[in-house]
Amino acid sequence: MKIDNTIALVTGANRGIGLAFTRALLARGARKVYAAARDPASVPALPGVVPLQLDVTQPDQVAAAVALAGDVNLLINNAGVGQFGGFLAADSEEVTRQMLEVNFFGVLRMSKAFAPVLAANGGGALLNVLSIVAWINGGELAGYAASKSAAWSLTNALRHELAAQRTQVLGLHMAFVDTDLVRAVDGPKTSPELIVARALDGLEAGLDEVLADERTQLTKLGLVAARPSYLPQAA
């Protein structure tokens, strides 16, 4: 899919990866970007950007977004929440449920709602922001990883279900990105701008999947190693 002259909707567009997507789409010639956020006032004022109030956990707000943004031919499901903690923590069920509601059910809700819109506008494309932890779960981000695993499975299913209407479905995987979610984490982080550039390059190249950094690429290869990358590794 070519970005030039496209009309996109980006969820969670007020900061981090979502804001980077908004800016990059405009720089590549997008005609309009609906920048969705729970608080539309938090979306920076940019030419070509239409702030849109949207909480992906609220069906009425999703329906309102469909009614307003019926010209969209690119949907970027970026909105997500994360929290550190393992499955044995006292609050793990509640925390995991909250993350699944946004990171899985929110993506499902948006994809179902906008699939007919994409079809009506020629097929277009759907891009889901996933993670390296869709494949590996070391327990530090246990609930978040589970929600991204579910979103990866959803992305793979949507690729089949939307093929008949010629909607391109792209899954974006990456390791730590320099955003608020991992601000306190030590270790290498990739800039949101670089992640987004690689994602949009992949979209324009017609890819199904983008592995946006070296760690993610190595982890994917490691899934079929003698000792797969999702198992504890020797020190």
Side-chain angles (χ1 to χ4, degrees), residues 116-191:
V117 174
L118 296 175
N121 294 325
L126 186 155
L127 190 159
N128 289 341
V129 177
L130 304 172
S131 172
I132 190 175
V133 299
W135 306 317
I136 54 173
N137 192 341
E140 301 90 350
L141 284 160
Y144 178 76
S147 71
K148 289 297 185 179
S149 292
W152 177 47
S153 181
L154 168 62
T155 302
N156 292 332
L158 289 173
R159 196 172 289 120
H160 293 279
E161 293 191 52
L162 295 175
Q165 68 176 49
R166 298 184 180 179
T167 296
Q168 178 186 355
V169 177
L170 187 149
L172 171 62
H173 294 264
M174 64 280 190
F176 288 139
V177 183
D178 193 9
T179 63
D180 292 342
L181 175 62
V182 294
R183 188 175 302 280
V185 174
D186 291 328
K189 302 171 190 173
T190 308
S191 73

Side-chain angles (χ1 to χ4, degrees), residues 34-132:
Y34 293 98
R38 290 179 177 176
D39 177 10
S42 65
V43 174
L46 297 169
V49 168
V50 179
L52 180 66
Q53 183 175 15
L54 178 61
D55 180 340
V56 298
T57 70
Q58 301 299 313
D60 59 332
Q61 292 191 20
V62 172
V66 171
L68 178 67
D71 51 353
V72 162
N73 59 3
L74 170 60
L75 171 63
I76 299 180
N77 284 313
N78 165 73
V81 293
Q83 184 172 324
F84 285 90
F87 283 134
L88 300 183
D91 61 350
S92 65
E93 293 176 46
E94 178 184 356
V95 167
T96 302
R97 188 174 291 110
Q98 290 171 349
M99 285 186 280
L100 281 166
E101 185 59 42
V102 177
N103 301 346
F104 172 72
F105 286 108
V107 175
L108 173 57
R109 190 173 291 114
M110 287 292 293
S111 300
K112 285 176 63 179
F114 275 91
V117 174
L118 296 175
N121 294 325
L126 186 155
L127 190 159
N128 289 341
V129 177
L130 304 172
S131 172
I132 190 175

